[in-house]
Amino acid sequence: MGQDSAAKSPWTGCSQFLPTTQKIIQFSDGKSPNPGDKIVYVAGAFDLFHVGHLDFLEKAKKLGDYLIVGLHTDPVVNSYKGSNYPIMNLHERVLSVLACKFVNEVVIGAPYCVTEELLEHFKIDVVCHGRTPIALENGKIDPYAVPKTRAIFELIDSGNEMTTERIVERIISHRLEYERRNQAKEKKEIEAFEALQRQKQTQKAG
């Protein structure tokens, strides 16, 4: 379920990724915040890391000096996105986000609700969210209630319309178009073969 060394998406069943601390270290900048740094926190799925995520993280980083990204576990992501999400498992998403130059640290398996403990532990000054809808935990609890109460919550408009869902739609659309072209090609080949067979039979009969 994206939480152990045998991580495989329970919905797609396609990942054989085996995480190691060495792999994570290779992607991490390994730097701690300096005294006085303004620490920014964002959280989400960051599935199929794309240019929309990149623009969002760039804007979030500009709100402070040190950017921490909280990544939700696979079951949590599936609970608020549904369908076959996430496409990438937790460990794959961790490395994708760590590879972004704007990110300083990643919280692996971050809680869906931003808690007092989380804010205090990482000494967070600003909590951000993008334009995607905020799903309530258990349909009741605002996951950003605590930072909103502290008046440290900010909404960010990345200015980019790209989403993971759009990428998936494109892939499916291109796949269907590919299948339609192949079916049409196969149909023409069959028709040509049958016509040739009829021609041969006619010639034999003559």
Side-chain angles (χ1 to χ4, degrees), residues 40-47 56-57 67-73 76-77 80 90 93-94 97-98 103-114 118 122 124 126-129 144:
V40 182
Y41 178 79
V42 302
F46 292 92
D47 197 15
F56 168 71
L57 292 173
L67 178 60
I68 300 175
V69 177
L71 283 175
H72 302 143
T73 63
V76 169
V77 173
Y80 63 79
L90 176 61
R93 291 184 283 118
V94 166
V97 172
L98 278 175
V103 176
N104 299 106
E105 183 65 283
V106 168
V107 179
I108 304 173
Y112 186 64
C113 285
V114 180
L118 180 76
F122 292 104
I124 296 165
V126 183
V127 176
C128 304
H129 186 78
Y144 295 103

Side-chain angles (χ1 to χ4, degrees), residues 40-96:
V40 182
Y41 178 79
V42 302
F46 292 92
D47 197 15
L48 295 179
F49 195 84
H50 53 72
V51 67
H53 293 140
L54 186 66
D55 290 345
F56 168 71
L57 292 173
E58 181 179 14
K59 289 202 171 184
K61 182 63 176 285
K62 288 179 179 177
L63 295 176
D65 306 295
Y66 193 90
L67 178 60
I68 300 175
V69 177
L71 283 175
H72 302 143
T73 63
D74 297 351
V76 169
V77 173
N78 184 257
S79 71
Y80 63 79
K81 292 183 76 73
S83 301
N84 291 321
Y85 295 101
I87 305 301
M88 299 171 70
N89 71 36
L90 176 61
H91 301 112
E92 293 164 333
R93 291 184 283 118
V94 166
L95 296 189
S96 296

Side-chain angles (χ1 to χ4, degrees), residues 48 83-85 87 164-180:
L48 295 179
S83 301
N84 291 321
Y85 295 101
I87 305 301
T164 300
E165 289 76 13
R166 284 195 174 193
I167 292 176
V168 171
E169 286 171 4
R170 285 183 184 181
I171 293 171
I172 293 173
S173 175
H174 291 167
R175 175 65 186 180
L176 292 175
E177 181 59 31
Y178 169 78
E179 290 178 354
R180 281 193 292 268

Side-chain angles (χ1 to χ4, degrees), residues 102-143:
F102 305 115
V103 176
N104 299 106
E105 183 65 283
V106 168
V107 179
I108 304 173
Y112 186 64
C113 285
V114 180
T115 62
E116 292 278 2
E117 291 77 14
L118 180 76
L119 296 176
E120 291 297 331
H121 180 80
F122 292 104
K123 309 210 180 310
I124 296 165
D125 299 294
V126 183
V127 176
C128 304
H129 186 78
R131 294 188 303 171
T132 56
I134 300 173
L136 302 180
E137 186 174 52
N138 300 322
K140 301 176 182 178
I141 304 170
D142 181 352

